[in-house]
Amino acid sequence: MRKYLQNLPSHTTTWQQYKDLALIAIDLQQSGIAYSNMNSTQEQKVRNIAATNTVYANHAKGILYQAFGENYAIDSPVFPSQSSKRASTLKGVITENILQLMPNPANSYLQIRWNNPTSEASLHIYNAVGKKLEQYKVQNGEGINIHHLANGIYICALEIEGKIWTHQKLVVNH
């Protein structure tokens, strides 16, 4: 896959950004390295894409959040003017909004947990360009069947009481 992507011509900036992000993900996955351990060249490519106003900027911001916990406002209708890492008050204690997707990468089953006392929520699954593919009503700790999703990278957004509370990247690999 890496060689195939590498040899494809890049006719537009957007296509080049897609190739750069995909090649970084492939290299890290094949090496068993987390995003937080990417090399400086890879990190700079991701930062440059995050600074653009293209369809892949949000994906790059998600990678930087995954790698370094950096606090980015996501500029798409999926996550309108919200930070991917917000603070909330739970019984007077300030905590981060945390969404756990297990296992990740996932094959056919995904368990969902979050650190909010609300037991019911909606889980929205978006593709890499922000198109909503699925929506599930879920209970904290519940599992869902995702065998029908193709291999790839998705964004899962957790909606609690009508608001997107937090989001997390999901990798599906059958």
Side-chain angles (χ1 to χ4, degrees):
M1 178 62 130
R2 185 185 204 300
K3 190 170 186 157
Y4 174 76
L5 272 174
Q6 205 168 16
N7 291 330
L8 284 174
S10 298
H11 300 293
T12 65
T13 301
T14 303
W15 179 241
Q16 183 61 49
Q17 289 177 345
Y18 168 77
K19 281 177 51 177
D20 288 345
L21 291 175
L23 290 169
I24 289 168
I26 289 168
D27 288 345
L28 294 176
Q29 185 177 28
Q30 287 176 345
S31 303
I33 299 173
Y35 279 124
S36 58
N37 295 321
M38 70 178 104
N39 67 40
S40 59
T41 303
Q42 292 168 325
E43 180 182 344
Q44 191 57 52
K45 279 185 182 180
V46 174
R47 288 186 183 285
N48 289 343
I49 294 168
T52 66
N53 190 21
T54 65
V55 68
Y56 293 106
N58 285 336
H59 184 69
K61 290 175 185 179
I63 290 171
L64 292 171
Y65 171 69
Q66 286 287 324
F68 310 112
E70 294 182 8
N71 194 354
Y72 281 99
I74 304 297
D75 305 322
S76 82
V78 175
F79 310 110
S81 43
Q82 292 196 122
S83 165
S84 57
K85 190 176 181 184
R86 298 188 318 188
S88 63
T89 304
L90 300 175
K91 297 183 181 176
V93 177
I94 301 297
T95 63
E96 290 179 21
N97 293 347
I98 297 173
L99 171 61
Q100 292 179 317
L101 305 172
M102 301 171 289
N104 195 0
N107 184 348
S108 60
Y109 178 80
L110 182 66
Q111 186 176 20
I112 302 115
R113 293 183 189 272
W114 59 88
N115 69 335
N116 182 300
T118 304
S119 63
E120 185 174 284
S122 292
L123 183 75
H124 306 268
I125 300 177
Y126 298 88
N127 66 13
V129 294
K131 179 181 177 189
K132 188 192 300 187
L133 303 176
E134 303 284 337
Q135 180 174 340
Y136 300 92
K137 290 283 186 199
V138 292
Q139 299 288 323
N140 200 348
E142 182 179 6
I144 59 171
N145 188 340
I146 58 163
H147 77 279
H148 59 283
L149 292 176
N151 288 349
I153 298 173
Y154 299 88
I155 301 293
C156 293
L158 190 69
E159 178 185 336
I160 296 177
E161 297 174 356
K163 296 181 182 173
I164 298 296
W165 187 68
T166 191
H167 65 279
Q168 177 74 31
K169 179 183 78 171
L170 169 66
V171 176
V172 174
N173 188 10
H174 299 291

